[in-house]
Amino acid sequence: MKTQLILAVDLEDKEQAKALLEKLRGKLTYIKIGLQLFTKYGPAIVDEFAAMGFKIFLDLKLHDIPNTVASAIKSLRGKPIELLTIHTLGGNAMMAKAVETAKEVLPDTRLLGVTVLTSMDTAQLNGIGIGREPMEQVEVLAKLAVASGMKGLVCSPLELPALRKFLGEEIALVTPGIRPKTASLDDQSRIMTPADAAAAGASYIVVGRPILKADDPAAAALAIQAELA
Ligand code: C5P
């Protein structure tokens, strides 16, 4: 499958987001709604953006006891959600329960596991009692996620080659930290270009500011997709 572009709609205001999305209709397919918009406007924002013709990646990074995560997923019953994140650190029982619940209430949704946040380095991991290097910990959690029935993972671009190698083609790998060669890095440091991420095995790339802050967001989105093609 061709690597797909997902726009991270990291904006504060819904009307501002809708005005931007209006310019991007027909130019890209997937958008990511994160905690910022979801917390402010509630689940209705999923329906509202989907009604504009976009496919939705809902990035809630659920992490709780199995029953509570399952209940949260039930609260999303029937919503037009393509991709939904949960934390793999919740463990096998939580993920398996999430997968089972999603099959029932969100049959067309692919659950994505978040492994080690890229804000966590070796020292941060040590601080929460994990003595492994981040990449080793990512592999442990990725294997656990797949064994629990998850069909996708969020990962950093640098983790793509290793994960793609041992996970095979069926698992969707979704990666942020992408910058076209000409774009500003903003606060991202370990980045990859869209073309390199596609070559390394990304199923989806998540891009925010290089599109959100462009003078011509539609042109920026089209240029990134041309690079992926
Ligand atoms: O603007 P930018 O392209 O950096 O946005 C990337 C998006 O991906 C943001 O929504 C950010 O929260 C998210 N993300 C990230 N790095 C991670 C996980 C998520 O940049 N490790």
Side-chain angles (χ1 to χ4, degrees):
M1 196 185 101
K2 185 175 151 283
T3 307
Q4 298 284 330
L5 170 64
I6 302 175
L7 169 67
V9 188
D10 294 329
L11 297 171
E12 228 181 276
D13 179 71
K14 188 172 71 173
E15 295 313 318
Q16 185 196 0
K18 282 175 94 167
L20 175 93
L21 291 175
E22 204 53 64
K23 293 185 201 158
L24 292 166
R25 258 192 223 244
K27 308 282 190 336
L28 63 83
T29 307
Y30 290 88
I31 61 172
K32 177 169 90 87
I33 300 174
L35 285 172
Q36 185 179 17
L37 283 172
F38 191 84
T39 309
K40 189 161 173 187
Y41 296 104
I45 198 161
V46 172
D47 300 304
E48 225 171 299
F49 287 178
M52 294 180 79
F54 296 99
K55 293 190 172 170
I56 308 297
F57 169 9
L58 186 58
D59 190 14
L60 296 186
K61 295 191 178 70
L62 300 173
H63 188 179
D64 211 311
I65 58 170
N67 186 61
T68 301
V69 167
S71 302
I73 293 174
K74 280 185 191 157
S75 294
L76 295 169
R77 182 189 294 271
K79 291 254 173 254
I81 301 166
E82 213 71 27
L83 304 163
L84 173 69
T85 44
I86 67 176
H87 265 289
T88 57
L89 268 179
N92 164 261
M94 184 197 93
M95 286 188 277
K97 181 88 176 159
V99 168
E100 180 196 319
T101 308
K103 267 195 193 130
E104 184 196 325
V105 303
L106 291 171
D108 300 325
T109 304
R110 190 190 283 261
L111 295 185
L112 302 175
V114 173
T115 59
V116 180
L117 297 171
T118 46
S119 51
M120 302 290 284
D121 56 14
T122 306
Q124 291 284 318
L125 281 182
N126 275 327
I128 57 165
I130 295 172
R132 296 193 189 91
E133 288 298 315
M135 186 64 219
E136 281 177 83
Q137 180 66 8
V138 166
E139 290 199 19
V140 167
L141 291 170
K143 283 178 183 154
L144 184 67
V146 172
S148 307
M150 305 275 292
K151 296 280 186 259
L153 292 162
V154 178
C155 67
S156 104
L158 303 176
E159 294 156 9
L160 280 170
L163 289 180
R164 185 51 83 205
K165 208 160 101 195
F166 79 81
L167 292 176
E169 295 302 317
E170 203 210 329
I171 302 300
L173 293 178
V174 180
T175 183
I178 299 295
R179 287 294 177 270
K181 280 212 177 70
T182 51
S184 150
L185 293 188
D186 305 305
D187 57 357
Q188 299 278 12
S189 53
R190 293 172 297 152
I191 47 119
M192 237 187 223
T193 66
D196 288 345
S203 315
Y204 301 85
I205 59 168
V206 179
V207 179
R209 286 161 290 180
I211 296 172
L212 299 174
K213 287 187 176 170
D215 293 332
D216 184 345
L222 290 172
I224 291 170
Q225 289 172 103
E227 206 185 314
L228 292 174

